[in-house]
Amino acid sequence: MPEGPEVQTVVSILERQLKHSVIQKVEVFYPKILENDNEEGWNRKLKGQSLLEFNRIGKYIILSTEEYDLVMHLRMEGKFYIYEQLPDSLKHIHVIFYLEDGRKVCYHDTRKFGRMNIYDKVEDKSTLPALKNVGYDALDERVTGAYFYQSIHDRKVNLKTCLLDQSIMAGIGNIYADEICFASGLDPRSRSHRISKQDCEQIVYHTKRILNGAIRYGGTTIRSYTSSLGVTGLFQLKLKVHTLEQCPVCQSKIIKKKVSTRGTYICVKCQKRK
DNA sequence: TTTTTTTCCTGACAGC
DNA sequence: TGCTGTCAGGAAAAAA
């Protein structure tokens, strides 16, 4: 399941492979993927457009052409594959972009959860409608301990919910939320209003450290998110709590609990519940 | 208004 | 072997 670092890896590879490529045609097999338009509209708008800019905010990919912004979310299992020749089976491929150079960019998504939107191009990508509930990217310099404290201290939810809330900090998913809580020494079930300013400084510091580290390692390859464009992340080797059975610090058994509907890994000895 | 639950999807896996 | 049931999960929609 791609989170910010995995999406960044995908965006970087797409940019390297596709920058300045010209779209000739788009084919759509599962119409619901295109949230605010349809196959006919995408073809009318995108024929002859070049892929010029490759950006990311949170878990969203933003590809810009001369006239349009394409906003895409891979959700759990969305992947792009680039082919010279289409494979025999198009199973789970829902959208194909045909490029003028003959290559085909295929969007593959087993669970059909991913979504794509198209808009007239704007300067400030954060104003695009698909991003209206998305806050600053977690790596944005405007995200500070003070900002996080102010965002959560009068809410009555648990810490994990805050970390997963894309309107506060965008780009954190289930895996990194667990890792951030562990690194900060806090139980994800802690109530947000009991978390101190100092804790928030720690949380934001570790968030940036962990996400930047994961980007350097090409993201985390876990469960269904195996590979995209032939690239496999290595950050799973660095995980300190998520998916583990024993705490690497104190050797205690790590417990697995549902926290805000997500499978959550906690070392109750190292992580304080507030 | 804020918080919780449900919904969308399919493959993997457990249990019979 | 083959069937049924449960689980996984990001974010939007619906319900509380």
Side-chain angles (χ1 to χ4, degrees):
Chain A
M1 45 219 102
E3 306 181 28
E6 292 74 41
V7 175
Q8 183 60 54
T9 304
V10 172
V11 169
S12 302
I13 294 168
L14 290 178
E15 175 161 27
R16 198 154 64 226
Q17 299 281 329
L18 302 178
K19 195 158 189 170
H20 303 303
S21 294
V22 179
I23 298 168
Q24 185 186 63
K25 183 178 85 170
V26 184
E27 206 170 1
V28 181
F29 305 106
Y30 185 70
K32 282 179 79 172
I33 298 269
L34 307 186
E35 217 160 29
N36 70 341
D37 203 346
N38 55 34
E39 180 174 21
E40 191 269 321
W42 275 53
N43 274 293
R44 191 180 61 247
K45 292 169 182 170
L46 292 176
K47 184 172 164 41
Q49 296 275 307
S50 331
L51 295 164
L52 300 177
E53 294 157 50
F54 299 74
N55 291 294
R56 173 187 73 82
I57 297 178
K59 303 173 198 168
Y60 290 83
I61 297 170
I62 305 159
L63 304 184
S64 304
T65 67
E66 289 86 350
E67 293 175 63
Y68 298 98
D69 288 320
L70 306 179
V71 181
M72 306 170 164
H73 196 305
L74 307 175
R75 293 289 182 92
M76 263 77 75
E77 309 199 12
K79 304 175 182 68
F80 286 103
Y81 294 105
I82 301 171
Y83 296 110
E84 300 284 343
Q85 300 251 266
L86 287 176
D88 290 337
S89 167
L90 296 181
K91 195 172 184 193
H92 303 312
I93 289 175
H94 308 305
V95 182
I96 304 178
F97 297 85
Y98 293 83
L99 304 180
E100 279 196 348
D101 63 18
R103 289 183 297 167
K104 293 96 183 157
V105 181
C106 295
Y107 177 71
H108 181 288
D109 188 349
T110 315
R111 288 187 209 169
K112 301 179 174 173
F113 270 15
R115 292 294 180 262
M116 301 182 183
N117 284 275
I118 186 167
Y119 303 105
D120 291 337
K121 192 173 181 177
V122 295
E123 190 64 33
D124 180 0
K125 307 305 179 196
S126 69
T127 64
L128 291 165
L131 302 175
K132 69 177 191 298
N133 294 323
V134 180
Y136 301 138
D137 188 86
L139 295 176
D140 192 301
E141 59 185 13
R142 289 169 291 191
V143 172
T144 62
Y147 165 80
F148 190 65
Y149 178 78
Q150 173 253 313
S151 303
I152 73 167
H153 82 279
D154 51 1
R155 294 190 61 189
K156 293 187 185 71
V157 289
N158 59 50
L159 173 58
K160 181 142 181 177
T161 300
C162 296
L163 290 170
L164 293 174
D165 186 336
Q166 302 298 304
S167 70
I168 302 174
M169 283 195 283
I172 299 169
N174 199 36
I175 300 170
Y176 297 114
D178 281 1
E179 293 299 313
I180 292 161
C181 289
F182 181 82
S184 306
L186 292 166
D187 190 313
R189 296 167 293 183
S190 299
R191 305 292 289 176
S192 56
H193 60 278
R194 295 205 187 121
I195 303 211
S196 70
K197 286 183 181 174
Q198 212 166 15
D199 289 331
C200 288
E201 292 292 343
Q202 284 293 302
I203 290 165
V204 170
Y205 166 76
H206 287 296
T207 296
K208 291 176 192 258
R209 181 182 65 75
I210 288 168
L211 294 185
N212 277 317
I215 288 171
R216 276 201 300 282
Y217 280 87
T220 302
T221 300
I222 192 175
R223 283 185 67 84
S224 50
Y225 186 71
T226 48
S227 68
S228 180
L229 300 155
V231 171
T232 301
L234 292 172
F235 195 73
Q236 64 275 16
L237 303 172
K238 304 283 168 186
L239 296 177
K240 293 280 200 293
V241 65
H242 194 88
T243 72
L244 301 187
E245 293 188 354
Q246 191 182 34
C247 175
V249 173
C250 75
Q251 319 304 323
S252 306
K253 192 170 165 30
I254 286 170
I255 63 165
K256 189 178 179 192
K257 287 236 153 202
K258 279 240 180 210
V259 180
S260 71
T261 77
R262 304 293 163 72
T264 301
Y265 294 82
I266 310 163
C267 173
V268 289
K269 196 171 170 196
C270 294
Q271 297 177 257
K272 201 175 292 178
R273 187 165 181 173
K274 296 202 172 182

